[in-house]
Amino acid sequence: MTTPDTDNGLWVRRFHPAPGGARRLVCLPHAGGSASFYFPVSRALSPAVEVLSIQYPGRQDRRHEKCIGDIHDLAREVFTVLRPWRDEPLAIFGHSMGASLGFELARLIEQDGGSVAHLFASGRRAPSKSRHETVHLLDDEGLLADVRKLSGTNSAVLGDPEMLRAALPAIRNDYRAAERYTYRPGPPLSCPITVLTGADDPKTTVEEARAWSDHTTAAFDLKVYPGGHFFLAEHQPAILRAISTALSAAPAV
């Protein structure tokens, strides 16, 4: 395994750089989320797995950059940024909006002749299952009410007016991108897909999650956990075990 000369620090956050031989897992945040959301995942999986957590434009230290409002466009940007890391198959984990982004990223990698070790899609219905959603059109209070309902943004941010003003543009942008995402029919992926979902997630039914099986010719696994949209916060040890087990079973590089 080689390590790129640069980690493209604007986009890729390596909280725990790993020695040679570690698997690489690209982690994609949810709507309004940031790379730091995956710091605990990186710490827990290190050193066997090196997490490459993606920081989207328009938030935290990138707050002065323009947000990217289309999932397909964002996938192309991330695909380009990750090119130096693709000397071996990457695994991908995405939650909510990040799951849709992960699917499109995996498609781009395979279309480019590369391979994906595993796709973990969390808290998101299958790409081919659409809903008419307009939360991004609500006023600020309406939008924040949905965020609070889903418990997707740190409560410290929601309680701090200054931090909230800084975060709102990214939250609205990401909601818009997720709700306007349109699946473009094409060949299924050739990588294994593990789907993780909350039994009571208002954004995704179990059947909508199960439909991810239509998007791969490889192995498929569905794991349902008690809880809502952010079930993964309550079941982190079990989810980390699922990731570790799946990556350990992947062919050696």
Side-chain angles (χ1 to χ4, degrees), residues 23 25 41 44-45 49 91-93 117-122 192-197 219-225 231-232 235-250:
R23 303 280 184 175
L25 176 66
V41 174
L45 294 180
V49 177
I92 301 170
F93 183 102
H118 207 107
L119 173 62
F120 299 91
S122 170
I193 296 179
T194 295
V195 173
L196 308 99
T197 192
F220 173 80
D221 189 20
L222 172 65
K223 297 184 182 298
V224 182
Y225 299 88
F231 65 91
L232 70 176
H235 303 285
Q236 187 181 84
I239 291 169
L240 291 172
R241 285 195 298 271
I243 294 172
S244 296
T245 299
L247 294 186
S248 296

Side-chain angles (χ1 to χ4, degrees), residues 18-253:
R23 303 280 184 175
R24 288 183 182 143
L25 176 66
V26 177
C27 287
L28 304 167
H30 54 279
S34 61
S36 58
F37 181 79
Y38 291 108
F39 181 89
V41 174
S42 176
R43 180 176 55 197
L45 294 180
S46 178
V49 177
E50 181 178 63
V51 168
L52 308 178
S53 190
I54 301 300
Q55 182 80 318
Y56 309 142
R59 65 217 65 214
Q60 292 186 334
D61 57 336
R62 303 190 70 185
R63 63 187 178 277
H64 298 301
E65 299 179 48
K66 184 178 179 181
C67 293
I68 298 175
D70 181 271
I71 295 294
H72 297 281
D73 292 342
L74 184 56
R76 284 189 288 271
E77 291 287 346
V78 176
F79 169 76
T80 300
V81 167
L82 289 174
R83 192 178 294 277
W85 300 92
R86 286 178 43 213
D87 56 330
E88 62 180 67
L90 296 170
I92 301 170
F93 183 102
H95 181 70
S96 195
M97 181 189 82
S100 298
L101 176 61
F103 172 72
E104 294 299 337
L105 174 62
R107 281 180 129 183
L108 290 173
I109 291 173
E110 291 195 352
Q111 289 168 8
D112 193 51
S115 59
V116 176
H118 207 107
L119 173 62
F120 299 91
S122 170
R124 187 66 173 169
R125 60 186 176 271
S128 53
K129 295 296 181 181
S130 62
R131 292 188 185 186
H132 180 65
E133 296 175 313
T134 57
V135 177
H136 70 277
L137 296 176
L138 298 177
D139 61 14
D140 290 350
E141 286 307 311
L143 178 61
L144 290 176
D146 193 76
V147 173
R148 290 188 179 97
K149 180 178 68 177
L150 298 177
S151 301
T153 297
N154 189 295
S155 59
V157 173
L158 289 173
D160 185 311
E162 186 174 346
M163 293 179 68
L164 192 55
R165 280 195 299 273
L168 260 175
I171 295 172
R172 186 176 298 281
N173 172 86
D174 293 356
Y175 262 73
R176 183 187 304 113
E179 292 184 342
R180 289 184 173 177
Y181 167 70
T182 301
Y183 168 67
R184 299 170 181 172
L189 297 172
S190 59
C191 66
I193 296 179
T194 295
V195 173
L196 308 99
T197 192
D200 301 312
D201 187 347
K203 298 290 187 180
T204 305
T205 68
V206 172
E207 287 309 307
E208 286 175 324
R210 196 186 311 278
W212 277 92
S213 62
D214 297 333
H215 296 285
T216 181
T217 58
F220 173 80
D221 189 20
L222 172 65
K223 297 184 182 298
V224 182
Y225 299 88
H229 190 61
F230 277 87
F231 65 91
L232 70 176
E234 304 165 39
H235 303 285
Q236 187 181 84
I239 291 169
L240 291 172
R241 285 195 298 271
I243 294 172
S244 296
T245 299
L247 294 186
S248 296
V253 294

Side-chain angles (χ1 to χ4, degrees), residues 3-24:
T3 300
D5 293 332
T6 176
D7 65 2
N8 201 332
L10 282 178
W11 284 89
V12 182
R13 308 300 163 93
R14 297 167 66 216
F15 300 119
H16 303 90
R23 303 280 184 175
R24 288 183 182 143

